Amino acid sequence: RRVHGHAALLDIIPNSNLQSLLYDAQFSANHIAYSHAATMFTNYFGAPNVEEYNALKKNLAKSLDSEGNLTLLKALNRRLHRGPQESYAHEVVKRFPEIVSGLYDDFVDKCNGKGVGEINEALKHQIERLVGERSDKHVLMAFLLFNTHLRKTNFFQPLKSALSFRLDPGFLKNLDFPELPHGIFLIIGRDFKGFHVRFRDIARGGVRMIRSANEHSYETNSLRLFDEVYGLAYTQQKKNKDIPEGGSKGNFLLQLGYQGSGFLSFERYMDAFLDVLLPNPYVKDNLGKDEIIFFGPDEGTAEWMDWAALYSKQRGYKMWKSLTTGKAPALGGIPHDVYGMTTLSVHGVALEVMKKLGWKEEEVTKFQTGGPDGDLGSNEIKLSKDRTIGVVDGSGVVFDPQGLNRQELERLANSRKMIENFDASKLGKEGFKVLIKDKNVKLPNGEVIEDGMQFRNTFHLHPMVQADLFVPCGGRPEAVNASNVHKMFLPNGQPKFKVIVEGANLFITEDARLVLEKAGVLLHKDATANKGGVTSSSLEVLAGLALSDEEHSKWMMCPKDGEAPDFYKRYVEEIQRRVVDNAKAEFDCIWREHEATKKPRTVISNQLSDKINQLDDYIRSTSMFDVESTRLAVMHKALPKTLLQEVGIKEVLERVPEAYQRAIFSNFIASHYVYQYGLEANEIGFFEFMKKLLE
């Protein structure tokens, strides 16, 4: 049984040269698996503190005009100053097997609830005394840090498909991240490695799969793995200011030799996550409270949300109907693309800007990344009436300075096809189509494009691309950053775009946004513009929590070939109205604040998110919710009318977990108050607001 257990454990982690310690009988399989997990932690979070960097940061912080430079310095530090490479950490393990054995014993103690959250001083002194080389010492101290911040793991569960570790995020304090999250999960499988980051005790966000075309791509993706998931979760937290769930995000990177095992890796990722989420006799709960987490679709995982919900039901998860959003309508899902949920907020912000500037949409020139095959890209085409001059998607670039044929764009959007299918005969004399596979293509202006892929990746920076409005609806994070933002300007110094409404998450870095705004670009960042989808997903979660299995089946599950239930249709329409109302409320607040203070809209958006989230947290810490009359008055206004009419508030409040009710209550008050009274809102304003709210 022991041999079988060792083999099973080694089978769920990648092969490494650590296994030689097993063959030499120095380590057990448990020691190998522990060392592998601690090595991954060390690789991402075990960077030594560098005195020169700290001195530079301190000097920059004293400068009045250094905020952008300081932000950039911190980002570069996170990106470049990683912990030791995996291969080096493995060699350290081999050099100090006795110390690592002691670290493993400390790990076992922490898993059993002994000394949780406390650093093992005896081990610390042993490492300081016996390890001379500074880099070796950093590796072993990082192993000790891993133990100290461990709160839950499925490590000792006999049957598991991957290893999962729930970590307290305190180890990020010295690594220059802008805000500490609520929790971090580290998940390791044979064919993948990944993270999950959440910023509140109740959180929701997508799970992203990352593939790599070659070894260089894999190394780049691996290097950015945690930074990317943290950045996406952080943006989600800013964006989720209108809903009860905090921001979260998950990702997993397929190992280079397993690019075809995406679904299997997703299954293992979710299975390991559920191991530590559900009550489990093999998992010591050192948190002492249940965690409420909801998942959504993201790059590469959209088709697997149904499986995850049904699998969690099979494993006994009571909130299985709400575990994932983005499910098929047959399971009660509300597809963002079908109902244009994300685009309703992005395009809504664009329309509000045009209204303020006195523009007629039909006369506005627009450039967009993200094509007619995607959710946001296709719906942006279908909802808009502008003169679109260019579209970039996964297949390439289509461009016409006189405006692309709208009927042809709509044909592709309705059929969800990439721009490689754009009929080139419908292009003007100066128009062209360049696909990623193309080589040495001559454009109408005489320019020769040597590589279609490179041209596609950087076309948004090309000098010929200039328009009234730029709407990024897709593209990789940080496509516009401090190193290339100068290419967003014409030779005369004027910006190429007058207005940017950032639909794609993290398309533009924060420092680049500020550069553009300083030059006069009217920019609304992702956390302001792209929040319709999170509103829709949140209300999909609520329906799953508030409806019984029978009601959910009858009212929310749509026949595959039949008409949606009447409740479903009314509920979707109410969600769409709420998406539009939320987008307008934030836009109006930002516009007023900018007119009054002239602060960059990017800064105002961040401050709004922070103020709402801080007030939300404060309200949740008070006894306001416990006053029945106040609770009922607020919940009557916060909960969807469609739900209250069919189920009734009494039943809804009996079914929805109290922690989630408190989140609805505090978020509704905080967001509505701040949008109405602005950043300078005070106690008297809050009194007046609550008085009106309770009438």
Side-chain angles (χ1 to χ4, degrees), residues 237-250:
Q237 172 67 9
K238 300 284 189 185
K239 190 191 304 185
N240 283 17
K241 52 187 169 288
D242 298 335
I243 63 174
E245 301 96 344
S248 72
K249 211 73 173 182

Side-chain angles (χ1 to χ4, degrees), residues 169-181:
F171 56 83
L172 293 183
K173 286 180 181 177
N174 298 321
L175 293 180
D176 283 331
F177 288 92
E179 182 179 336
L180 276 187

